[in-house]
C-alpha cells in the first residue's frame, strides 16, 4: 500500500519512512507545503501522514485542498499540539485520525492499517474473490485453501487488482502505485508486463481462474470475464 509522509522534521520523517518501509508499505516523503501539494495533486495514496505545522503553509490548508479536489486518500494528522480545537478542525475537514507527538511507530503503523482496511477493504482483513483469499494482515495468498508463494511486488500487484476489480487500470497507474517516484525513472513500462505475466502464471499454476485481462491500448482489468 502506498503512503505519503508529510513531515518537516528530518529525523522523524526518516524514522517513519524506514519503519513503514520495513512494514512493507511503499513510502514517499516530503517536508514542506509546496512539495506536499504537488504530490497530492498528481498522485493518489492509500494513506497520508500529515503534520499540521509545515514550512510554506498549514497542513490543515492542505487537507482543505484535498477535500476540495474530492480526493479520497486516507489522512492521519500528526501534531505536537495536543489541543482540542486542532483535533476538531482536522476531523471536521475530513481527516480520518489524529495522533499527538511523540508517538510510537507501531501505533502509527496500526492506525494506517486500520484506515486502509476501512477505506479500501470495507474494514475486512480477508479479501475473497472466487477461489482466491488474501489475508492483508498476515500478507498471505491462498488458492482453494493452498497458500502460494508470491514476491512482494506480485503480492502488491494482486492486492491492487483485487481492490480495483472490474476496473481498467492503466500501466501508468500500476507503476505509480507500486513503485512511486521510482516509476518516473523508467524509460518505458515494459516491466509492468513482466510482473503481470509472472503473477498470472502463478495463479493459473495453483488452479485459480484466468482473471487478469489485457485491455488493448488501455491497461489491465481483473475480472471474471
Amino acid at each position: 500500500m502506498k503512503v505519503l509522509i508529510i513531515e518537516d522534521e528530518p529525523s522523524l520523517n526518516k524514522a517513519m519512512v524506514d519503519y513503514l518501509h520495513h512494514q512493507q508499505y511503499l513510502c514517499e516523503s516530503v517536508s514542506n507545503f509546496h512539495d506536499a501539494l504537488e504530490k497530492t495533486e498528481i498522485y493518489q495514496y492509500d494513506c497520508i501522514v500529515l503534520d499540521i505545522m509545515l514550512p510554506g503553509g498549514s497542513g490543515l490548508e492542505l487537507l482543505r485542498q484535498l477535500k476540495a479536489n474530492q480526493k479520497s486518500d486516507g489522512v492521519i494528522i500528526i501534531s505536537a499540539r495536543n489541543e482540542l480545537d486542532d483535533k476538531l478542525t482536522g476531523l471536521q475537514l475530513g481527516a480520518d485520525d489524529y495522533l499527538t507527538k511523540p508517538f510510537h511507530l507501531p501505533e502509527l503503523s496500526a492506525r494506517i492499517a486500520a484506515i486502509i482496511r476501512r477505506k479500501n477493504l470495507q474494514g475486512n482483513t480477508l479479501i475473497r474473490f472466487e477461489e482466491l483469499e488474501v489475508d492483508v494482515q498476515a500478507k498471505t495468498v491462498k488458492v482453494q485453501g493452498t497458500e502460494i508463494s508470491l514476491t512482494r511486488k506480485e503480492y502488491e500487484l494482486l492486492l491492487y487488482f483485487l481492490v480495483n476489480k472490474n476496473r481498467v487500470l492503466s500501466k501508468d497507474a500500476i507503476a505509480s502505485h507500486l513503485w512511486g517516484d521510482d516509476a518516473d525513472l523508467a524509460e518505458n513500462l515494459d516491466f509492468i508486463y513482466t510482473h503481470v505475466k509472472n503473477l498470472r502464471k502463478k495463479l493459473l499454476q495453483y488452479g485459480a481462474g484466468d482473471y487478469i485481462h489485457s485491455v488493448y491500448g488501455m491497461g489491465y482489468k481483473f475480472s471474471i470475464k
Side-chain angles (χ1 to χ4, degrees):
M1 293 296 185
K2 191 175 178 183
V3 176
L4 176 64
I5 305 295
I6 305 173
E7 165 61 53
D8 66 317
E9 206 284 301
S11 61
L12 178 57
N13 190 314
K14 184 177 185 304
M16 288 190 287
V17 169
D18 289 347
Y19 183 84
L20 293 174
H21 180 75
H22 182 70
Q23 297 297 307
Q24 298 189 354
Y25 289 101
L26 175 64
C27 285
E28 298 177 9
S29 70
V30 292
S31 58
N32 61 70
F33 179 87
H34 174 76
D35 290 346
L37 184 61
E38 183 177 51
K39 282 275 192 187
T40 55
E41 286 183 342
I42 296 175
Y43 302 110
Q44 184 168 348
Y45 298 90
D46 295 292
C47 190
I48 297 171
V49 180
L50 175 62
D51 189 12
I52 287 183
M53 305 296 290
L54 294 170
S58 166
L60 294 177
E61 178 56 33
L62 188 66
L63 187 55
R64 288 190 184 93
Q65 291 292 330
L66 280 170
K67 300 311 171 183
N69 293 332
Q70 297 183 326
K71 303 281 279 187
S72 60
D73 314 50
V75 177
I76 297 178
I77 291 177
I78 56 173
S79 177
R81 298 166 58 179
N82 187 20
E83 296 183 7
L84 181 60
D85 286 348
D86 285 338
K87 291 183 178 180
L88 290 177
T89 300
L91 294 172
Q92 288 168 353
L93 287 173
D96 298 279
D97 204 349
Y98 191 107
L99 197 55
T100 303
K101 299 177 185 178
F103 51 82
H104 296 290
L105 293 175
E107 180 181 6
L108 174 64
S109 179
R111 294 196 184 204
I112 290 173
I115 287 173
I116 291 174
R117 282 198 306 273
R118 187 166 65 246
K119 281 186 167 290
N120 291 354
L121 309 177
Q122 292 75 52
N124 299 314
T125 59
L126 290 177
I127 303 176
R128 294 184 175 91
F129 182 87
E130 298 298 313
E131 65 282 339
L132 288 170
E133 180 182 283
V134 178
D135 186 326
V136 297
Q137 284 191 324
K139 294 182 172 60
T140 58
V141 177
K142 293 181 180 179
V143 176
Q144 297 177 341
T146 300
E147 186 171 332
I148 69 174
S149 177
L150 299 178
T151 67
R152 176 175 172 177
K153 288 302 181 187
E154 288 166 355
Y155 170 81
E156 291 173 350
L157 179 58
L158 175 60
L159 190 59
Y160 190 47
F161 275 138
L162 287 169
V163 170
N164 293 281
K165 61 181 180 292
N166 300 318
R167 299 177 184 172
V168 176
L169 300 174
S170 70
K171 290 182 180 180
D172 284 332
I174 294 172
S176 173
H177 188 84
L178 297 185
W179 282 271
D181 288 340
D182 291 340
D184 295 333
L185 303 177
E187 293 184 2
N188 57 61
L189 298 177
D190 290 346
F191 62 93
I192 297 294
Y193 169 77
T194 301
H195 284 282
V196 170
K197 181 185 71 173
N198 291 341
L199 172 61
R200 181 173 178 267
K201 180 180 178 181
K202 287 185 179 180
L203 292 178
L204 291 173
Q205 178 184 341
Y206 281 89
D210 191 3
Y211 304 126
I212 302 176
H213 307 288
S214 177
V215 181
Y216 182 75
M218 299 179 68
Y220 297 95
K221 182 169 70 169
F222 194 92
S223 64
I224 295 175
K225 293 182 179 180

